[in-house]
Amino acid sequence: HLPNATELEEFESLVTNHTMLHEQMVNFFRGFRRDAHPMAIMTGVVGAMSAFYHDSTDITDQHQREVASIRLIAKMPTIAAMAYKYTVGQPFVYPRNDVDYASNFLRMCFAVPAEDYEVNPILSRAMDRIFTLHADHEQNASTSTVRLASSSGANPFACIAAGIACLWGPAHGGANQACLEMLNEIGSVDRIPEFIARAKDKHDPFRLMGFGHRVYKNIEPRATVLKESADEVLGLLGVENNPLWQVAKELEKAALADPYFAEKKLFPNVDFYSGIILKALGIPIEMFTAMFATGRTVGWISHWNEMITNPYRIGRPRQLYTGADSRDYVPLNKR
Ligand code: CMC
């Protein structure tokens, strides 16, 4: 449902005006080790929102559901940016209501009290594209996790915290971080064949990160858009010749020309390009998955809302036991 002009204005105003966190929540951040992973901080802080926002945890109340949804969408960039600031030892930057969602996020990450941060519109457009393209993607692992958690009637903050935890893994949202780390490890174009060979070797657990998808067996539409953004951003910053980007481009070419990847229908996915753009934007690698979580919050909360406003039962995946029929009890001193 596309909003009409009034609905859009109202939505924008609600999201824009709920970006601040309860000041007492700052104490939660201070409890983490300074080198904590931002995803660890996000999982904890989002879960802790249920301890602060009691007036939006009654899932049977439509108004409270709406308030919780807006709070999550509006505050997630603030939480992500605070997680980053905490790990680099800089003071938190409060959100500003006179800039758009993506620019606000970049500002909260990069402004410091000594000097303000002028947001470049090309960079905020790329950030906005990343958030938009990550907003929803059907029944992926983290969304299914959110739905399973919500099927028990858990509050929305707890459900989204569960989604963030699931997203963190390298086979899912963590792939953008893993991909950049892989490109760094490859380091130069001449080492690409060695890594392609490892990815193809059945006895080597190494996989080309940012390649392959459970659903897409063709070029990912999201990857196509982000490839364009990557070119735009790297061009603007004048770093098209950066070795990392050269390795990424050559790796893509080599994999696409290799029969192994063609037969298995392994194409670059969204994480292949998002990592490169985020890196060019100056976002540290450890923050990449936090960016994904920020964008995906919109999809998670929509799935949550859709699920609990329709008839549902608690989720209970069946398990087929394939172990021994019976096993004798052996006393501890005989084992
Ligand atoms: N590099 C090398 N071989 C691969 C790769 C890869 N990236 N991905 C799959 N394969 C091979 C795999 O070894 C298997 O070979 P065989 O049939 O000989 O055993 C075959 O392709 C099928 O793989 P699968 O593991 O059964 O496929 P899946 O649908 O279970 O996994 C995936 C999908 C995305 C987890 C997997 O492709 C992968 O691990 N990719 C790298 C991680 C990554 O980029 N993840 C981001 C996914 S997109 C965004 C998101 O969901 O968050």
Side-chain angles (χ1 to χ4, degrees), residues 171-172 175 202 207-208 210-211 213-214 260 264 266 269 271:
H172 192 8
K202 277 238 160 288
R207 284 184 167 198
L208 277 194
F211 277 80
H213 197 275
R214 173 61 64 82
Y260 172 93
K264 296 192 187 301
L266 302 168
N269 59 46
D271 291 313

Side-chain angles (χ1 to χ4, degrees), residues 46-193:
V46 172
M49 285 173 82
S50 37
F52 275 88
Y53 300 107
H54 298 291
D55 56 345
S56 54
T57 50
D58 179 357
I59 63 167
T60 63
D61 179 328
Q62 192 204 332
H63 176 68
Q64 292 202 25
R65 286 199 302 270
E66 278 173 22
V67 174
S69 305
I70 293 293
R71 278 183 171 149
L72 278 158
I73 296 170
K75 296 183 199 309
M76 203 59 87
T78 314
I79 294 171
M82 285 171 79
Y84 167 59
K85 285 297 202 191
Y86 186 72
T87 59
V88 290
Q90 289 180 6
F92 298 132
V93 173
Y94 287 91
R96 282 246 306 255
N97 294 350
D98 58 347
V99 285
D100 64 80
Y101 196 81
S103 306
N104 193 27
F105 171 74
L106 290 172
R107 209 193 136 265
M108 286 191 288
C109 282
F110 298 121
V112 284
E115 53 186 85
D116 204 4
Y117 173 77
E118 200 65 50
V119 184
N120 181 313
I122 296 190
L123 303 189
S124 67
R125 182 174 116 97
M127 192 71 248
D128 190 48
R129 277 181 159 196
I130 288 181
F131 283 148
T132 306
L133 289 174
H134 285 83
D136 186 41
H137 210 222
E138 205 218 43
Q139 290 281 354
N140 52 84
S142 57
T143 302
S144 303
T145 302
V146 169
R147 292 183 75 110
L148 195 55
S150 43
S151 78
S152 74
N155 76 68
F157 305 110
C159 296
I160 302 298
I164 297 173
C166 175
L167 184 76
W168 194 358
H172 192 8
N176 52 16
Q177 172 171 346
C179 176
L180 236 279
E181 284 165 353
M182 175 192 76
L183 294 176
N184 276 332
E185 194 189 341
I186 297 176
S188 59
V189 171
D190 56 303
R191 292 191 69 203
I192 290 175

